Amino acid sequence: MSRLVVVSNRVATPTETKGSAGGLAVGVFGALKETGGVWFGWSGDVVTETVANQGPKLEQDGAVTFATVGLPKKDYDQYYRGFSNAELWPVFHYRNDLAIYDRDEYAGYRRVNSWLAHKLIKLLEPDDIIWVHDYHLIPFAEALRSAGVTNRIGFFLHIPFPSPQILLNIPPHEELVRSLCCYNVVGFQTEGDEFAFHDYIRRHAHGTVSGSRVEAFGRSLQTGVYHIGVFPDEIAEQAERGEARQDVMDLKQSLEGRKLIMSVDRLDYSKGLVERFRAFEHFLEKSPEWRGNVTLVQIAPPTRSDVETYQQIRQNLEYEAGRINGRYSGLDYTPIRYLNQRYDRWKLMSLFRESQVGLVTPLRDGMNLVAKEYVAAQNPDDPGVLVLSQFAGAAGEMSGAVMVNPHDIVGTSDALARALAMPLAERKERYKTNMAALRKYDLGAWRDRFLTDLRGTKLRQAKKK
Ligand code: ADQ
C-alpha cells in the first residue's frame, strides 16, 4: 500500500501519539504506522528565519517520520495568528463580527502555505498519498500542484463550512474555494457543511455538483462527509481506571454529595461559555432547592491568547463566574468552579464519569469531541446525561442527548433541570442510543473511510482547457 503523508498545522509529538493527549493524534498516528509515512507541519516554535530555512527537523519513530519546521515571527503573525485565527476561524464559526481581514496577512497565509509545500516536496515519493488537515492549509494542494506534484491529495475540514452568505464576507472567498478544488477529496464533518460547499459551487463558482462529484474552476473533485469520532472503549477504560485515583477521590469528597455538572472546552468564543454560565445562573435563580446542591465545574484552558478576541472572552468569563459566584456562594459552597488549565486525559474522563450532567453548548462547532468523550466515559449502570447544543456537529448523531439552543438561556436552564432529575431508566436508554452512534462513527471508521475514498480517486486529471 502506498505511504501516507499527513500534513497539519501542528504535528503531535511522538509522546502525544502514545495516548497521553487527544485521541485524534492517536488515530492519525495509527494510520501512519500501518503504511509507514510522514507527519509534516509546524513545530509550534517561533524561530529566526535562518533556523526556519534549515528545517524540516526529522524524528523517526518506527516507520513514521515526524517532520517539523519552526515559523519566523512574521509568518506566525500573518499566517497563524492573523488570517487563520482572526479571519477564517471567526467567519467559519459564523462570527463575522469578530473577523479582521488584512490583505498583508492573507498574502502571508498563502506565502507560508507555499513555503511549507516546498519544504514537504523534498520528502515526497511518487506513490505517496497526502492527507491535509484544516483551515490553516486550504491553499496547500494548490501550491503542491503548481510545483508539479500529481499525487493524490485529500483535505479534511475540522471546523464548520459556512453557508455562502457568510463565506462571502471573506474578501478572497473565491480564491479559497478555488484552492479547495485543487484537492482530489474534500471531507466535511456534517452533511450541512458539505451542502454549504456545494451551494457555493453552484451559485457562486458557476460549477456543477452531481452527487459527491464537483466540477469547478476547471477541476474535478470528490466531496464527502466523514463524522469524526473517538475510540469509546479506550475512553471507558481510562475513565474507569482514574476513578480510584487520589485527585478524583479528592474532588468527589469536596463535593460533599452535591451533584456535578461537567464542562470542558478550549477557551474560545465559539464554545458558548458565557451563555452557559448565564443558563446555570438562571437555573439557580429559578430552582432554589438546587442552590448549594449542584456544582458546575468548567475546565477551559486558554488558547490563542495573543489574539485580542481571546483576551476579551477570558475577561468576560472571569467576570461572569465571579458575579454568579458572588450571588450564590455560601461559606462552604461555590456554584461555579472555573479552572483555566489542561488536565491529563484520564483525569478528564474520570471526572466525566463522576458527573451527573455533561453540559456541552457551543454556539457553533465542527463536531465537538468532548460531547462524545463524555458519553463514552459514563458508567453504563448509572450514566450521566449529555446536554448538547444543536449547533455542534455531534448533534446530528447523538440523538440520545437533551438538545438545546445555547442562545436560549431559559431553555438551557430547563434542560439542566430535566437532566438532573432524569430517572435511571431514561438515562440508560439515552446512553444506549448515544453509544450506538459512537460505535458506528468511531475514530477508526472516520480515518479508514476518508483514506479509502482518497486511495480510490483516479490520479489527478489534467486541468481542463
Ligand atoms: P476543538 O475546537 O479543539 O477541535 P473538540 O472537538 O471538543 O474541540 O476537541 C477538544 C479536545 O481537547 C478534546 O479531546 C478534549 O478532551 C481536549 N481538551 C479540552 N480541554 C482540555 C483540557 N483542559 N485538558 C486536556 N484536554 C482538553 C476542532 C473543532 C471541533 C472538532 C475537532 C476534531 O473545533 O469541532 O470536533 O477539531 O475534528
Side-chain angles (χ1 to χ4, degrees):
M1 211 190 288
S2 44
R3 244 178 27 145
L4 174 63
V5 174
V6 173
V7 184
S8 55
N9 172 57
R10 286 294 302 276
V11 174
T13 62
T15 328
E16 282 168 344
T17 59
K18 304 290 185 292
S20 60
L24 184 57
V26 182
V28 171
F29 185 63
L32 278 166
K33 266 196 309 196
E34 262 173 39
T35 54
V38 179
W39 194 337
F40 173 79
W42 177 36
S43 61
D45 297 327
V46 175
V47 298
T48 63
E49 267 186 47
T50 320
V51 173
N53 285 323
Q54 284 160 0
K57 179 177 156 210
L58 304 181
E59 273 178 275
Q60 200 64 32
D61 186 345
V64 182
T65 308
F66 291 83
T68 51
V69 287
L71 284 181
K73 176 84 170 64
K74 184 177 172 195
D75 289 351
Y76 167 82
D77 282 344
Q78 296 188 328
Y79 150 82
Y80 180 75
R81 194 169 62 82
F83 192 71
S84 293
N85 284 319
E87 174 72 3
L88 286 180
W89 177 275
V91 176
F92 277 41
H93 287 87
Y94 290 72
R95 291 302 302 270
N96 191 46
D97 58 317
L98 298 178
I100 301 167
Y101 176 68
D102 178 309
R103 277 185 177 218
D104 292 340
E105 289 178 351
Y106 177 57
Y109 172 79
R110 293 201 82 93
R111 183 185 68 245
V112 171
N113 265 271
S114 179
W115 178 77
L116 287 170
H118 281 86
K119 289 272 172 201
L120 177 68
I121 286 173
K122 297 179 199 138
L123 306 175
L124 283 181
E125 292 175 10
D127 246 12
D128 287 345
I129 68 159
I130 305 168
W131 189 10
V132 180
H133 290 259
D134 231 357
Y135 62 102
H136 318 83
L137 297 167
I138 290 172
F140 196 81
E142 192 172 17
L144 287 177
R145 298 286 184 231
S146 310
V149 171
T150 54
N151 300 49
R152 291 177 176 85
I153 316 178
F155 178 83
F156 183 75
L157 183 67
H158 289 258
I159 65 176
F161 190 88
S163 73
Q165 282 312 310
I166 302 292
L167 187 61
L168 294 181
N169 286 299
I170 300 180
H173 56 87
E174 188 179 310
E175 284 179 25
L176 290 169
V177 176
R178 181 192 293 264
S179 296
L180 277 175
C181 291
C182 292
Y183 288 93
N184 297 100
V185 176
V186 174
F188 300 96
Q189 298 271 24
T190 67
E191 285 73 12
D193 299 315
E194 186 188 44
F195 177 84
F197 179 72
H198 288 173
D199 199 16
Y200 183 98
I201 293 290
R202 286 195 189 98
R203 293 202 289 149
H204 300 281
H206 312 292
T208 59
V209 180
S210 165
S212 61
R213 174 85 10 219
V214 169
E215 311 266 345
F217 302 111
R219 305 262 176 193
S220 173
L221 64 146
Q222 186 182 321
T223 61
V225 177
Y226 307 90
H227 304 250
I228 198 165
V230 296
F231 288 125
D233 294 333
E234 180 200 284
I235 289 173
E237 197 260 324
Q238 283 176 338
E240 213 171 341
R241 203 156 25 99
E243 253 180 337
R245 299 230 200 160
Q246 198 56 48
D247 291 8
V248 178
M249 308 246 280
D250 287 350
L251 172 89
K252 217 168 153 180
Q253 207 175 9
S254 75
L255 288 172
E256 295 173 330
R258 292 182 188 106
K259 301 262 182 180
L260 173 61
I261 302 171
M262 277 299 299
S263 289
V264 173
D265 313 78
R266 279 183 310 96
L267 186 46
D268 193 293
Y269 48 81
S270 65
K271 303 291 183 185
L273 298 162
V274 171
E275 291 76 3
R276 184 181 305 163
F277 281 9
R278 291 195 184 140
F280 184 59
E281 177 185 26
H282 188 270
F283 169 70
L284 292 178
E285 192 179 310
K286 292 290 163 204
S287 322
E289 71 282 11
W290 278 106
R291 290 180 209 158
N293 290 319
V294 62
T295 297
L296 166 64
V297 169
Q298 171 70 63
I299 298 180
T303 50
R304 305 171 197 165
S305 35
D306 51 356
V307 179
E308 203 189 320
T309 40
Y310 286 78
Q311 293 155 8
Q312 281 162 9
I313 164 88
R314 187 168 183 177
Q315 279 171 9
N316 277 354
L317 215 57
E318 276 164 10
Y319 170 80
E320 285 298 313
R323 188 180 62 73
I324 298 164
N325 280 341
R327 214 173 147 194
Y328 291 112
S329 287
L331 281 176
D332 61 347
Y333 173 59
T334 311
I336 301 180
R337 294 197 200 171
Y338 172 43
L339 308 164
N340 278 141
Q341 35 179 311
R342 293 200 67 77
Y343 283 86
D344 286 338
R345 210 169 151 68
W346 67 263
K347 208 175 283 179
L348 288 181
M349 301 310 130
S350 316
L351 293 176
F352 287 161
R353 193 177 173 93
E354 288 303 323
S355 68
Q356 285 67 44
V357 178
L359 187 54
V360 185
T361 52
L363 303 180
R364 197 62 70 166
D365 218 326
M367 178 54 68
N368 194 300
L369 291 179
V370 170
K372 296 190 168 186
E373 291 165 350
Y374 182 81
V375 171
Q378 295 310 301
N379 175 354
D381 297 326
D382 186 17
V385 180
L386 175 65
V387 175
L388 179 62
S389 160
Q390 68 186 78
F391 302 120
E397 298 160 46
M398 313 295 276
S399 54
V402 174
M403 227 53 90
V404 294
N405 179 331
H407 299 287
D408 180 4
I409 304 295
V410 177
T412 308
S413 154
D414 290 350
L416 271 179
R418 194 172 154 210
L420 282 165
M422 193 175 283
L424 179 62
E426 184 179 348
R427 283 191 277 129
K428 279 184 166 173
E429 202 47 49
R430 287 173 176 272
Y431 166 78
K432 235 171 74 188
T433 308
N434 285 335
M435 276 306 284
L438 281 197
R439 292 204 183 284
K440 182 168 170 199
Y441 301 112
D442 79 0
L443 189 59
W446 167 76
R447 172 187 81 192
D448 295 345
R449 280 193 51 236
F450 187 92
L451 290 175
T452 303
D453 283 357
L454 183 55
R455 285 205 166 89
T457 53
K458 292 207 186 76
L459 269 182
R460 189 176 74 89
Q461 295 158 354
K463 195 172 171 184
K464 283 184 194 158
K465 291 271 174 321

